[in-house]
Amino acid sequence: MGRYLLTRSLILFASLLAASLVVFLAIEVVPGDPARTMLGMNATPETVAALNAQLGLNMPGWQRYLHWIAGFATGDMGMSYTYRVPVAGLIAERLQLSLPLTAIALVLTTAIALPAGLIAAAGRGRATDTAVMGIAQIGIAVPNFWFAMILVLVLALKLHLFPAGGFPGWSHPAAAFQALVLPAVALALPQGAILARVLRSALIETMGQDYIRTARARGRSRAGALVAHALRNALIPVLTILGMQFAVLLAGAIVIENVFALPGLGRLIFQALSQRDLIVVESAVMLLVVAVIAVSFVTDIAYALVDPRLRRPA
């Protein structure tokens, strides 16, 4: 197990290093001068050059990368060019909205996927299976930002059941939760549809195992064997996908937060990108990358603990 853990740790480190290079290079090639953006088009070249020097933007790219990644690794993400506050504090403040939004969306994803997957697997090849999987396919195909706008038009503007946007803050918990319901539903729909299809496939595969046939021979109904025996074993791949979806939902909130004007991490990234606040964009995007890679790493380790065959060298 020690050797396997060391190997996976080295892969994790290499993945993070490669990802940091990609993030830095991708953002650095975005056109525009941050100093020029901050000072305006009428600023003199001398003023722009002085601000670039103050922000450290006159250094070679490789020096800026090393300075940024070293600070990120120690929790010092630098100062925002636009807001002139520490980037770490700025991101932590926005995560107070994005993390609860992601958690609510994950709960809704599970609430959608479990009954849908069970119904489809129980009625395999029947009308219910076709209907559920057809709806799931639509859920996957429909862009979540389009679905979000439909929710706003129908449930917020027409029926007045939920606010159309904005966030009142956590000092008003009931109003804050209500403001997150529609964004969470918009995030959860495609992920719930994906998870439902995964669960259906896992259940159908598990239902073909010998112990399920034995349970059926002893008088268990198909539905009873599905819930009592197959579901427990089919949850292993489902939990893996669910863990990955947390990171996907956190990253996917970038678009949804802008649709609902929520002051979360996604909206911060969008605003910082438009303002050429590169240090904020790089750090926030890198944080999302770390979340995705870390979840994958934890999943690999958990699998190795459950299944010793994965620890053996190929």
Side-chain angles (χ1 to χ4, degrees), residues 26-50:
I27 293 174
E28 287 294 319
V29 300
V30 175
D33 184 349
R36 175 69 66 182
T37 302
M38 293 169 64
L39 295 173
M41 298 305 296
N42 295 325
T44 63
E46 293 78 13
T47 306
V48 173

Side-chain angles (χ1 to χ4, degrees), residues 36-118:
R36 175 69 66 182
T37 302
M38 293 169 64
L39 295 173
M41 298 305 296
N42 295 325
T44 63
E46 293 78 13
T47 306
V48 173
L51 184 57
N52 274 324
Q54 180 184 348
L55 298 176
L57 296 174
N58 59 338
M59 295 189 298
W62 65 271
Q63 287 186 7
R64 295 204 308 275
Y65 168 75
L66 291 178
H67 183 266
W68 166 65
I69 199 62
F72 185 90
T74 58
D76 180 10
M77 301 179 187
M79 296 288 291
S80 165
Y81 302 158
T82 303
Y83 302 102
R84 305 308 297 161
V85 297
V87 175
L90 196 60
I91 291 176
E93 179 185 351
R94 300 304 181 96
L95 283 174
Q96 293 178 15
L97 184 146
S98 295
L99 286 177
L101 172 60
T102 303
I104 296 171
L106 198 65
V107 171
L108 290 176
T109 296
T110 307
I112 293 170
L114 282 179
L118 282 168

Side-chain angles (χ1 to χ4, degrees), residues 1-16:
M1 184 63 188
R3 181 177 178 181
Y4 178 82
L5 185 60
L6 177 61
T7 302
R8 300 307 303 176
S9 298
L10 291 174
I11 294 174
L12 171 68
F13 177 78
S15 300
L16 289 174

Side-chain angles (χ1 to χ4, degrees), residues 250-280:
L250 185 60
I254 294 176
V255 176
I256 297 301
E257 286 178 4
N258 280 282
V259 172
F260 289 93
L262 296 175
L265 185 63
R267 188 163 178 82
L268 174 65
I269 293 174
F270 181 81
Q271 291 173 337
L273 189 60
S274 64
Q275 295 163 348
R276 290 288 295 164
D277 200 341
L278 301 183
I279 190 70
V280 173

Side-chain angles (χ1 to χ4, degrees), residues 271-293:
Q271 291 173 337
L273 189 60
S274 64
Q275 295 163 348
R276 290 288 295 164
D277 200 341
L278 301 183
I279 190 70
V280 173
V281 179
E282 289 166 354
S283 298
V285 172
M286 190 62 199
L287 186 65
L288 296 176
V289 171
V290 169
V292 173
I293 295 177

Side-chain angles (χ1 to χ4, degrees), residues 237-255:
V238 171
L239 291 176
T240 303
I241 299 297
L242 198 60
M244 294 298 298
Q245 282 182 330
F246 180 83
V248 171
L249 289 168
L250 185 60
I254 294 176
V255 176

